[in-house]
Amino acid sequence: MSRPTQFHFLFVLFFVALNTFAQDYRKITPIKKILFDIEQQHLVSFNYTEESIEGLEAIPPKKTLSLGQKLAYLTEKTNLSFENIDNKFINIYKRTQEPSIICGYIFSSKDKKPIEDVNIAFSNKVPVTTDANGYFKLNKEGATAISITHVGFIPKDISIANLDSKNCLQIFLEPQITVLQEIKTNSILASGITKKTDGSFEIKPKKFGILPGLIEPDALQTMQQLPGVNSIDESVSSINVRGGTHDQNLFLWNGIRMFQTGHFFGLISVFNPNLPHTISIYKNGSSAFYGESVSSVLDISSTPETTEKNSFGAGINMINADIYAKYNLSKKSSIEISARKSITDFVETPTYKEYFEKIFQNTTITDFSNSQNTNYQSDKKFNFYDATLKYIQKIGQKDQLVLDFITIKDNLEVFQSATTNNTFRSENNVLQQQNYGGNLLWKRNWNRYNTTKINVYNSTYDLLANQKTTFDNQTAIQENKVNNNGINLENNHIITSRFSFNDGYQFNEIGVTNLEDITNPNFYRKVKEVLRIHSLILEGKYNDTISRIYFKAGTRINYIDKFKKYILEPRVQFSYGINKNLILEILGELKSQNSQQIIDLQKDYFGIEKRRWVLSNNTTIPIQRSRQLSLNLSYKKNDWLFDAENFYKKVTGITTSSQGFQNQLEFVKTTGDYEIWGAEILAQKKMNHFLTWLSYTYNHNNYHFSSYEYPVFPNNFEVMHTASWAGIYEKNRFKIALGTKWTSGKPKTSTENTLIDNSNPVLVYNKPNSDNLHTFLQVNFSMTYKWETAKDIQYKLGMSILNVLNKKNEINEYYRINSLANSVEEVNTFALRRTPNLSFRVLF
């Protein structure tokens, strides 16, 4: 054997021998190092003063010992005592004298078996609990009595003042016999909807009951049932929260910002209602981790909180069909897919016809047909689809990867032709709207007190219109494209059982491109803008369930690279339980937004989806900024709920182009703000299987455009009075709901019904929004029934009717010039007429 080989052999032999020796004979080590090693191995935290452990040393306990065995070992080897609180926090005290220890075993008097997790409270100290053998021990320290409680057993108080500490107690608890009552929840509006301590509303679709007009837990339709949330044109693409426009809301799907929220140009939500696990809605007081929004936040997560079994589902209604599948690839990985597509390629149902008539009112498409009267022909093709993919992979005990993809698309093709006065005219219109995105999330649990989440995402939106006309041989193309990339870092730290804080960093890059390309005459314009925003976030939370105090405060510091500008966004949430029935809540926030939707011309994109995304330039298109404050009182008792909230909100930096004016301000370019204050009231009563509620919302909402001749006038989205009622009955597998919604008419601008200068006619308007439409009244109905087979296959049948009374509700009115008759023409838009829908689902 050569010398190098011999040397390596002897070195390895020496290392093995040394390692074996080290395992058998542990060196004396400072207590501080021993405590640090225990913290790392068992994920606990020691609390002590430096004086109490100064100079102490001991032989470390074996790593194979349990946490309790190590604490017992150190208690025996040192003059320290340890107070273990929930295996998370361990207080260390220096013993001055041998403490008086009380120990005992707790059994059930019925079967004499030990009871685990019994709560033993004494002398205002941290309670202790029994182990699997019913055993407990505590330091007497002057305590004279202990209080013993456990769910299902009669509480018991025992005096320990004169007890002998040498012998352990044997305590027997009597079972508590109670009559089972119907489970009561704090549901709001329907089962599966709750209000959380931070003021947000949470929807659990898998627990969702039923609401009038809804047979599925559609996130955006359900959102409109909340007081203060409305849709001025009965669309999920125009949701107004406390007077704001739709684009001022932030919509998130698994961390991906969504720029398109509606199929069928706003009548159906793009979010598959059968996927989400949690939907969170914030009207005010949102977390500092939410940016780029001056109104509400809707955050949808389809990631399950716990591992679920394999499942498959499929369904169909009178608009679309969908499938869903979830498969566990292993104990630590799973995949989930879903797809939904319109059935309009195969059949035109009554529901589709009502939707089509509603959407295409007063657009360039219907304008063409209305202006022709000879040999008119048309061919319409409309379809939409959406699909999602989720992959979850757990790595070890501390790491998790989640990958999400989503794609959404609407496609409309309309060919129209007619012969008038021996002249052939035709139009070929194509309108496409799509949004697709992806998100990769990594989550790391460093220990039970510290967690890190990092995600990178992309969202791309594209709106494309292509119109070809034969009469003037013209092609017109319009395109609006958004590309949003970002990275988010979030750290969560639990300091004590009551206090925690979060910190993080976000980078957001958003680019917007607007294109116009017209032939005959030729015109081409392409504008691209990019903004990059860096954000630092810090927020702390204090939650004391005993004193019923919840306080969360945070701030977000944005730096906009292009403008070299800093924006501070503080947020606050405070809740105090005055007593067990009455809760006071205060919410406040300052927020900003750098992107918005504007309308250049009402006939852009055929007048259907006429809004286009643009970015702030910090001059003619300012950064929008909001401030909001609300005060809420909530009273719950005997299945009654009374909730009243007053709010104030102001948004600055808005433009006239973003507000959808169809009066004298349609072509006026100026900036200003809107200011709104109001009240939202909800009264709800639960009676066995029946739930009924009545809500009322009042708001006073005004524009302020200082450079305009009428600087103050009502907001386009002001609905001063809104009242809703619902009656819901749920028993076993059957659910039925009937409800009504009444609103005062939205503002409108009237005219003098005269024209100035007949050669170049101009409308004469009165003061903006000085009049109102007629009131809106709609009665809705829905019903579902679910049953199962012996093979655990579930079936669900649903039926809904929107506008049961078939009332003709006017939702918009404006005026235009009829050039042929040289007169003023009134244009009216109406809500959906009576619209039925049927659905059928199977799940196994």
Side-chain angles (χ1 to χ4, degrees), residues 173-199:
L173 297 183
E174 297 289 336
Q176 188 174 42
I177 301 174
T178 58
V179 178
L180 293 177
Q181 301 291 333
E182 182 181 358
I183 297 176
K184 300 178 181 180
T185 64
N186 294 322
S187 297
I188 291 182
L189 305 180
S191 55
I193 306 176
T194 57
K195 186 175 182 181
K196 299 181 67 180
T197 311
D198 62 1

Side-chain angles (χ1 to χ4, degrees), residues 421-476:
N421 298 327
N422 297 322
T423 302
F424 178 77
R425 298 172 60 93
S426 72
E427 282 187 1
N428 189 21
N429 303 295
V430 177
L431 183 61
Q432 295 179 346
Q433 187 180 25
Q434 59 184 338
N435 199 161
Y436 51 89
N439 182 63
L440 177 62
L441 168 70
W442 170 64
K443 181 178 180 181
R444 168 79 174 182
N445 294 320
W446 302 100
N447 49 51
R448 66 177 65 187
Y449 311 110
N450 298 282
T451 304
T452 295
K453 291 188 290 186
I454 300 177
N455 70 291
V456 292
Y457 64 90
N458 170 265
S459 181
T460 300
Y461 169 80
D462 192 21
L463 177 64
L464 175 66
N466 190 330
Q467 184 181 52
K468 295 180 180 179
T469 58
T470 56
F471 181 72
D472 49 13
N473 192 29
Q474 186 181 74
T475 299

